C-alpha cells in the first residue's frame, strides 16, 4: 500500500506533514507513505525544505494520493508540463485533496459535478473552475475526498485509513494524535465527519 502525498514548492506544512504523521500510525509490512514531489527538494511556505521521498510520477501507481495545499498552487495548475505529470484515476485510487489541493483536482477534471471542500482563500478559484464549494470540513463521494482548513488534514488521513484498514484503525490513529484529555471527544467529532461518506 503506497500513499503519495503530493507536496509542491510553497507547500503548507500542516497539510502534508500532519497527514504523513497520522498515516504512519499504521505499522504493517508494505504500508508506505511518501512525500511525493516534482523535484528532489521542495521548500514550504514558511521556509522548511524537505527531500522528496518519491517523485511525482509515482502518484500514478500509488494506491492513494493526497494533494496538499500551498501558496503556489495556482502556479502549479497553470503549469501544463507539471500537470501532465499527474495521471490520477479514481476508479483504482483513493484520491483526496485539502484546501488549495482541491483546485488541483478541479483542474484535472476529477471533481466534475461533485461538490468539494476547500479553504476560504481558494474557494473562489475552485468555484471559477465550475465546482460547488461546501461550507464544511470534509466531504467524500466514492473514491474522491476533499477537506477544508489546515486542521482538517487528519480527516483526510483517517478517511484513507478507514477505507483501507477499517474504522477501528482510523479511530486508533486519530486517538494517538489527539490532545490528552480530549481524545474521545476528538475521535467522536472526526467520525461524525467521516462516517456519512464511507461506503456501506
Amino acid at each position: 500500500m503506497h500513499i503519495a502525498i503530493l507536496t509542491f514548492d510553497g507547500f503548507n506544512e500542516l497539510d502534508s506533514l500532519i497527514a504523513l504523521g497520522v498515516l504512519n500510525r499504521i505499522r504493517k509490512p508494505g504500508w508506505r507513505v511518501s512525500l511525493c514531489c516534482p523535484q528532489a527538494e521542495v521548500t514550504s511556505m514558511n521556509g522548511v525544505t524537505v527531500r522528496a521521498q518519491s517523485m511525482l510520477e509515482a502518484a500514478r501507481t500509488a494506491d492513494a494520493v493526497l494533494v496538499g495545499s500551498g501558496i503556489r498552487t495556482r502556479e502549479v495548475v497553470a503549469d501544463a508540463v507539471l500537470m501532465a505529470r499527474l495521471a490520477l484515476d479514481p476508479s483504482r485510487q483513493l484520491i483526496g485533496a485539502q484546501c488549495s489541493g482541491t483546485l488541483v483536482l478541479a483542474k484535472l477534471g476529477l471533481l466534475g459535478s461533485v461538490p468539494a471542500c476547500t479553504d476560504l482563500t481558494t474557494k473562489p478559484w475552485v468555484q471559477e473552475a465550475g465546482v460547488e464549494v461546501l461550507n464544511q470540513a470534509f466531504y467524500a463521494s466514492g473514491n474522491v475526498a476533499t477537506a477544508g482548513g489546515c486542521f482538517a488534514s487528519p480527516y483526510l488521513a483517517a478517511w484513507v485509513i478507514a477505507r483501507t484498514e477499517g474504522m477501528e484503525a482510523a479511530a486508533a490513529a486519530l486517538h494517538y494524535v489527539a490532545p490528552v484529555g480530549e481524545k474521545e471527544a476528538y475521535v467522536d467529532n472526526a467520525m461524525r465527519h467521516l462516517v456519512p461518506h464511507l461506503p456501506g
Side-chain angles (χ1 to χ4, degrees):
M1 177 76 183
H2 177 210
I3 304 162
I5 302 175
L6 301 193
T7 305
F8 302 96
D9 263 326
F11 73 93
N12 185 326
E13 304 93 336
L14 294 175
D15 293 3
S16 294
L17 300 181
I18 289 176
L20 181 81
V22 174
L23 287 163
N24 272 315
R25 295 311 312 156
I26 301 299
R27 308 286 189 190
K28 58 180 290 187
W31 183 272
R32 180 168 70 100
V33 186
S34 69
L35 294 180
C36 187
C37 309
Q39 62 264 0
E41 291 185 346
V42 291
T43 300
S44 77
M45 60 192 294
N46 293 305
V48 178
T49 298
V50 298
R51 291 193 58 79
Q53 296 171 299
S54 64
M55 300 309 290
L56 213 53
E57 287 74 14
R60 297 178 179 191
T61 57
D63 302 286
V65 179
L66 296 183
V67 187
S69 73
I71 58 172
R72 296 185 181 166
T73 305
R74 285 197 293 173
E75 295 173 34
V76 169
V77 299
D79 186 335
V81 173
L82 182 58
M83 290 291 281
R85 296 172 65 187
L86 297 172
L88 308 182
D89 183 357
S91 72
R92 59 177 177 79
Q93 296 174 301
L94 295 176
I95 300 171
Q98 182 168 353
C99 297
S100 65
T102 299
L103 183 60
V104 175
L105 297 192
K107 293 294 189 178
L108 288 172
L110 297 176
L111 296 177
S113 61
V114 176
C117 302
T118 189
D119 63 283
L120 298 180
T121 300
T122 310
K123 179 178 177 179
W125 308 328
V126 173
Q127 290 172 323
E128 285 173 10
V131 176
E132 176 190 355
V133 175
L134 301 171
N135 184 33
Q136 61 193 59
F138 179 84
Y139 183 82
S141 177
N143 286 347
V144 178
T146 53
C150 297
F151 286 169
S153 182
Y155 298 163
L156 270 183
W159 173 74
V160 171
I161 296 171
R163 289 291 309 271
T164 57
E165 301 298 315
M167 288 294 294
E168 286 187 15
L174 290 173
H175 189 273
Y176 183 88
V177 301
V180 171
E182 302 174 13
K183 289 186 179 292
E184 287 72 22
Y186 183 93
V187 172
D188 288 346
N189 180 62
M191 290 302 136
R192 278 195 295 272
H193 288 285
L194 296 177
V195 169
H197 306 292
L198 294 172

